[in-house]
Amino acid sequence: MSWNRKLPRRGFLAGSLGSALIAAPFTISRAAPTGVSGNPFTLGIASGAPREDGVVLWTRLAPRPLEGGGMPDAPVAVDWQVAEDEAFARIVARGTEQALPALAHSVHAEVRGLRPGRPYWYRFRAGAAQSPIGRTRTAPAAAGAVPRFRFAFASCQQYEQGYFAAYRDMAARDLDLVIHLGDYIYEKSWGSRLVRRHEVGIPTTLPEFRDRYALYKLDDDLQAAHAAAPWLSIWDDHEVADDYADDRSYTTRDPARFLKMRAAAYQAYYEHMPLPASARPRGPSATIYERYRFGDLLDVMLLDDRQYRSAPACVNGARPGTVPDCPERTLEERTMLGRVQEAWLDTEIRNSKARWTVVAQQTLMAELDRPAEGAHRYWMDGWDGYPNARRRLLDSIATHRPRNPVVIGGDRHAFFVADLARDPARPTAPPVATEFVGTSITSEGPGAKGLRDALAANPHVKYARGDRRGYATVDLTPARCTVGFEAIDDEKRKDGTVSRLATFIVEDGAVGARQS
């Protein structure tokens, strides 16, 4: 059973942000770090990468977050504690990490030795300053029976286009996990009716990317969602540059220059997310694809469809938009995931033993042909630009037959539900997986007419709606997967409220969703 059912968000925040005054104090006293004044925990705290025996705890010391952090050019000792209760009467793990200048004084404490499938509370201290208290949860034991598991997935949070009230709602829910599917920051300004400002231009250097993350992470509602549950996260394109593919970018034509920028962007991503050390970048490369198991109920495969993909087809180096078909698109060697990741995913799908297998990736996997636009047209920045890579992935699912395969995605700024068949050219063929795509947290969505036309031309797509912002929730039991599309009434208001837009159910042993 989920662990925060009786603790509403406002009560949790009041307790967590104020509990440093009432919880048992740290027992070790340290002098304030030299050259540090003010609150070093302005960017909040987070946990992630939950395993059955531990989690990753994150924070970054930044008393002047939008001025490079405001920390001295020296390591700073950061103590952490994990307890079985919010008052820290029963501390079960503790340690000290060195927050290093080379990593922007971020901390990634990999805690082990915890018990599976239960809640924990955690906190940090640097000198006399103590962080808010966060709440996390370990994964259930790999072979353990899990009666219920609830998670949310989200993506695309352009800071200027709205407030993060969707995260305020997420923090109030009874969630065991949050999965973020990319576009955690945006490198550029765009959109209409902007309510906030980046204030500075497009980041290209490490200090600039650090400041962009700091701006986003100063948001109270985003901090609350991080503090309420552990996260799994993968990037999409805007963490680096719009629509990039491997070392190709229509905005930065020189591959060497682009890879230097990508190295800075990947490091800043690592510095600001609760990722394990295995995800730490090595120059412009980092491994973020991974499998997480949650008892006998759920396997999650996180994918990276940016770092290894082939260059966009049919666009001659221009921005990969929606264009007429061309022979290049269907070349067998074209890849979305890269050969190494494809082989890894095939192995993980073959070995999946959970009741539900979730493939978590960045975008819409279902084909979305656009014949209403005058020809067979496809969007070259998504799976439609890599149809044989998609076929290989779906062939793996069809061959190995994991129980109840579900694909989740984001990126498209719209809600979608689709049946995934091995061959989109045969729309009446039995599907091999069910797909759900969540809308954006704030980023503007596609026009209604385009989605209506796409629905009419693609019978395997069962639902498409892009006029609302929000996120998706998933409630898993052994019998069914219930997906809720949670939509905010007005993302332009900081006090916007969220309500259920639609509900879909996939029954155990069936492929395809029915609307409830």
Side-chain angles (χ1 to χ4, degrees), residues 18 32 39 44 60 71 73 77-78 197 219 221 224 228 245 262 299 307 323 414 445 475 496:
N39 173 24
R60 178 191 166 199
M71 292 294 293
D73 187 21
V78 179
R197 297 284 179 177
D219 185 276
D221 293 325
R262 194 177 89 176
D299 275 343
Q307 187 175 179
V323 299
D475 192 340

Side-chain angles (χ1 to χ4, degrees), residues 413-415 439 445-448 451 463-469 487-489 491 501:
H413 308 175
F415 291 114
T439 192
L451 287 183
Y463 183 93
R465 185 165 175 179
D467 62 326
R468 300 288 294 276
R469 314 277 65 80
I488 194 163
D489 60 349
E491 72 280 3
L501 186 64

Side-chain angles (χ1 to χ4, degrees), residues 289-419:
Y289 60 86
E290 184 59 282
R291 188 265 298 158
Y292 287 85
R293 177 157 292 163
F294 299 90
D296 67 348
L297 189 64
L298 173 64
D299 275 343
V300 176
M301 285 79 162
L302 299 175
L303 304 187
D304 177 356
D305 76 5
R306 282 289 166 189
Q307 187 175 179
Y308 315 106
R309 66 164 69 180
S310 303
C314 313
V315 296
N316 296 318
R319 183 180 183 183
T322 302
V323 299
D325 203 1
C326 75
E328 182 188 6
R329 184 180 78 97
T330 55
L331 294 176
E332 179 65 28
E333 64 268 21
R334 290 179 52 73
T335 180
M336 189 80 147
L337 304 177
R339 298 302 182 188
V340 173
Q341 187 179 186
E342 280 191 17
W344 167 86
L345 180 60
D346 181 72
T347 299
E348 293 298 331
I349 290 173
R350 183 180 69 239
N351 293 336
S352 179
K353 300 295 187 288
R355 182 69 62 102
W356 299 90
T357 298
V358 169
V359 177
Q361 48 86 55
Q362 286 78 356
T363 189
L364 175 70
M365 189 172 290
E367 182 174 278
L368 203 67
D369 190 5
R370 316 289 181 87
E373 299 178 22
H376 290 287
R377 299 172 67 90
Y378 301 95
W379 186 50
M380 295 300 161
D381 191 54
W383 284 98
D384 279 352
Y386 306 81
N388 286 320
R390 174 175 55 202
R391 189 210 74 236
R392 292 191 293 269
L393 191 158
L394 295 174
D395 279 351
S396 179
I397 292 175
T399 299
H400 300 309
R401 301 176 64 84
R403 190 165 181 175
N404 300 318
V406 174
V407 173
I408 61 173
D411 179 53
R412 301 308 301 271
H413 308 175
F415 291 114
F416 288 93
V417 179
D419 294 336

Side-chain angles (χ1 to χ4, degrees), residues 329 367 369 378 387 390 421-429 458-460:
R329 184 180 78 97
E367 182 174 278
D369 190 5
Y378 301 95
R390 174 175 55 202
R422 297 171 80 167
D423 182 3
R426 299 173 55 211
T428 60
N458 297 273
H460 55 283

